[in-house]
């Protein structure tokens, strides 16, 4: 789909909830920098003219002034720039903290970077390449990974960008505020065709988005496809509901704390799920043996995302997987997209097989 080029713009359009705050910080930094640049430039010229050496005038003796006035001047020109810099830091940190915490009600969409394209999967099953359709006014969370090298998903109009890393999951989120089409760029040099790794975000009205989503892919939702893959791999033979199998129970597991055999604990998130499938011996769930095989090379990145979504649905009472008695995921758990983060210590023995001890194979019938 080819977009009509827009007229020249000095700054990209402001089309997300983050744009005003980022633009405000940028404007503040430009104004402060411009003010001090002009002030310093003016004083240099002024003092050069005022104190220039006049014909016949000797070299004046150096002034050794340790008066209170000089001390006050030095403190002033140190404290004022420090205060202005701290404002920049606090303002910028608040934006970063806000951008790093996707809301619980955000629509989750998976993005996979591959030289040189963006592959996008919606929960309902729709798939796109180099295009992303989203509804206006809704929170959107992108869970991203790469098939090859480091990429960076950047939408200038939304003022959001985040690295897309191979073997890990990162997130970024935004709320589009204007209907329209906005550029996607890869902001990390990824090879000879890096400049061609572009795409478009199409922000639609709620009605138009529902119509577009209804077209689907004809293959069912990601969770349904993940369930099919889960069964094909024979994962259910060991990951038995209720925790009575040779591998941990996965029902209601996603987002909970997992106690490991070495006495530590991790959070059951996307990265832990992937690691448990690819490297099942890396983290052994307490109370289980090292019996799960690796599925490295047997599951594509897209298949991995489908398995993850299926595991998530097992903890969602409104999930699409039928015939399950499910437990809701704790609301206080935050999923960062990074490698599993240790949480507060609790009695390790208690949560052994029921917590979400996703054994080391949160998704592919593996066992530990």
């Amino acid at each position: 789909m080819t977009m009509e080029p827009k007229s020249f713009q000095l700054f990209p359009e402001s089309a997300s909830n983050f744009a005003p705050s980022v633009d405000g910080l940028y404007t503040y930094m430009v104004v402060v920098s411009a003010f001090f640049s002009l002030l310093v430039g003016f004083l240099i010229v002024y003092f050069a003219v005022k104190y220039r050496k006049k014909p016949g005038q000797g070299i004046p003796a150096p002034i050794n002034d340790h008066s209170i006035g000089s001390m006050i001047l030095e403190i002033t020109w140190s404290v004022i720039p420090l205060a202005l810099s701290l404002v920049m830091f606090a303002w910028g940190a608040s934006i970063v903290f806000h951008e790093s915490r996707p809301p619980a009600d955000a629509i989750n969409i998976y993005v996979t970077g591959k030289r040189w394209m963006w592959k996008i999967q919606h929960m309902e099953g729709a798939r796109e390449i180099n295009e992303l359709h989203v509804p206006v006014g809704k929170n959107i969370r992108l869970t991203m990974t790469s098939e090859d090298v480091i990429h960076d998903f950047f939408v200038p109009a939304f003022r959001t960008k985040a690295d897309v890393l191979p073997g890990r999951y990162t997130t970024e989120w935004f709320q589009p505020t204007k209907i329209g089409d906005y550029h996607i760029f890869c902001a990390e040099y990824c090879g000879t065709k890096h400049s061609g790794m572009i795409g478009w975000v199409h922000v639609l009205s709620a009605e138009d988005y529902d119509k577009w989503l209804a077209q689907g892919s004809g293959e069912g939702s990601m969770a349904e496809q993940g369930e099919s893959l889960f069964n094909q791999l024979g994962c259910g033979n060991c990951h038995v509901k209720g925790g009575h199998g040779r591998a941990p129970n996965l029902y209601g597991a996603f987002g909970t704390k997992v106690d490991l055999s070495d006495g530590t604990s991790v959070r059951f998130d996307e990265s832990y799920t992937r690691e448990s499938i690819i490297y099942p011996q890396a983290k052994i769930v307490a109370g289980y043996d090292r019996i799960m095989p690796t599925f490295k090379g047997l599951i594509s990145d897209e298949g991995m995302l489908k398995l993850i979504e299926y595991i998530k649905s097992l903890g969602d009472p409104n999930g699409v997987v039928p015939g399950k008695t499910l437990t809701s995921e704790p609301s206080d758990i935050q999923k960062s997209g990074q490698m599993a983060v240790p949480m507060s210590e609790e009695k390790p023995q208690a949560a052994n097989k029921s917590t979400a001890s996703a054994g080391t194979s949160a998704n592919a019938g593996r066992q530990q």
Side-chain angles (χ1 to χ4, degrees):
M1 183 175 183
T2 304
M3 301 291 133
E4 291 295 327
K6 296 184 179 181
S7 57
F8 173 77
Q9 291 179 297
L10 185 60
F11 297 101
E13 194 167 352
S14 174
S16 82
N17 58 320
F18 292 119
S21 57
V22 172
D23 289 349
L25 174 57
Y26 178 76
T27 301
Y28 170 77
M29 295 173 67
V30 169
V31 169
V32 170
S33 300
F35 172 78
F36 281 101
S37 296
L38 293 173
L39 177 62
V40 171
F42 169 77
L43 291 177
I44 289 174
V45 174
Y46 174 75
F47 290 135
V49 173
K50 181 175 181 179
Y51 298 107
R52 72 187 185 279
K53 184 175 179 297
K54 298 176 182 178
Q57 187 179 47
I59 299 176
I63 299 175
N64 187 15
D65 186 2
H66 296 287
S67 64
I68 295 297
S70 296
M71 183 182 298
I72 292 176
L73 178 61
E74 290 186 22
I75 292 175
T76 301
W77 71 36
S78 298
V79 170
I80 291 178
L82 174 62
L84 294 172
S85 299
L86 289 177
V87 170
M88 295 179 192
F89 171 79
W91 195 341
S94 67
I95 295 174
V96 170
F97 291 153
H98 188 200
E99 288 188 348
S100 65
R101 290 173 169 80
D105 63 349
I107 299 173
N108 195 30
I109 299 174
Y110 288 102
V111 177
T112 302
K114 179 182 179 180
R115 291 188 295 189
W116 286 272
M117 68 177 70
W118 298 107
K119 298 192 292 185
I120 296 166
Q121 290 184 292
H122 295 257
M123 297 299 95
E124 295 77 7
R127 293 185 291 180
E128 309 181 76
I129 293 181
N130 293 337
E131 293 188 66
L132 170 60
H133 289 76
V134 295
V136 68
K138 298 291 185 179
N139 296 320
I140 308 296
R141 168 180 168 161
L142 304 181
T143 301
M144 306 177 294
T145 189
S146 169
E147 290 187 6
D148 36 52
V149 298
I150 299 176
H151 300 285
D152 194 295
F153 194 88
F154 178 35
V155 184
F158 296 165
R159 311 298 192 268
T160 59
K161 79 184 188 75
D163 284 343
V164 181
L165 309 173
R168 294 181 64 183
Y169 294 103
T170 56
T171 62
E172 70 174 276
W173 77 278
F174 53 84
Q175 183 187 104
T177 55
K178 291 183 181 178
I179 294 176
D181 303 310
Y182 307 102
H183 259 301
I184 301 172
F185 293 100
C186 177
E188 185 76 28
Y189 181 72
C190 54
T192 55
K193 297 183 180 179
H194 161 71
S195 61
M197 193 170 174
I198 57 176
W200 293 91
V201 177
H202 306 287
V203 181
L204 310 175
S205 65
E207 296 76 15
D208 290 341
Y209 178 73
D210 289 339
K211 291 178 183 176
W212 177 85
L213 207 57
Q215 300 173 7
S217 64
E219 301 176 356
S221 69
M222 286 186 67
E224 291 170 336
Q225 296 177 55
E227 181 183 25
S228 176
L229 182 57
F230 186 88
N231 293 329
Q232 289 175 25
L233 296 171
C235 305
N237 295 331
C238 297
H239 291 283
V240 178
K241 181 178 178 181
H244 303 299
R246 291 178 295 171
N249 175 30
L250 301 180
Y251 286 77
F254 197 90
T256 62
K257 189 192 72 165
V258 179
D259 295 313
L260 304 178
S261 59
D262 62 2
T264 62
S265 61
V266 297
R267 187 176 57 214
F268 194 149
D269 61 4
E270 292 91 346
S271 291
Y272 171 71
T273 300
R274 179 190 180 94
E275 183 184 35
S276 296
I277 294 173
I278 304 300
Y279 305 107
Q281 306 303 316
K283 294 182 175 69
I284 305 298
V285 176
Y288 292 91
D289 299 323
R290 296 175 177 271
I291 60 175
M292 180 173 162
T294 178
F295 287 79
K296 185 176 182 180
L298 301 178
I299 303 174
S300 66
D301 285 294
E302 293 181 359
M304 187 73 69
L305 295 176
K306 293 172 183 177
L307 282 173
I308 290 173
E309 202 53 38
Y310 171 63
I311 297 299
K312 285 184 178 181
S313 73
L314 296 179
D316 181 2
N318 300 313
V320 298
V321 183
K324 317 282 193 211
T325 303
L326 307 176
T327 305
S328 350
E329 176 183 324
S331 59
D332 61 335
I333 298 295
Q334 289 201 4
K335 297 176 278 296
S336 68
Q338 303 299 320
M339 297 303 289
V341 179
M343 300 183 69
S344 58
E345 280 294 329
E346 290 176 15
K347 226 169 178 177
Q349 223 42 30
N352 264 349
K353 302 181 183 178
S354 61
T355 334
S357 305
T360 71
S361 110
N363 311 276
R366 315 145 163 178
Q367 320 142 349
Q368 304 201 339

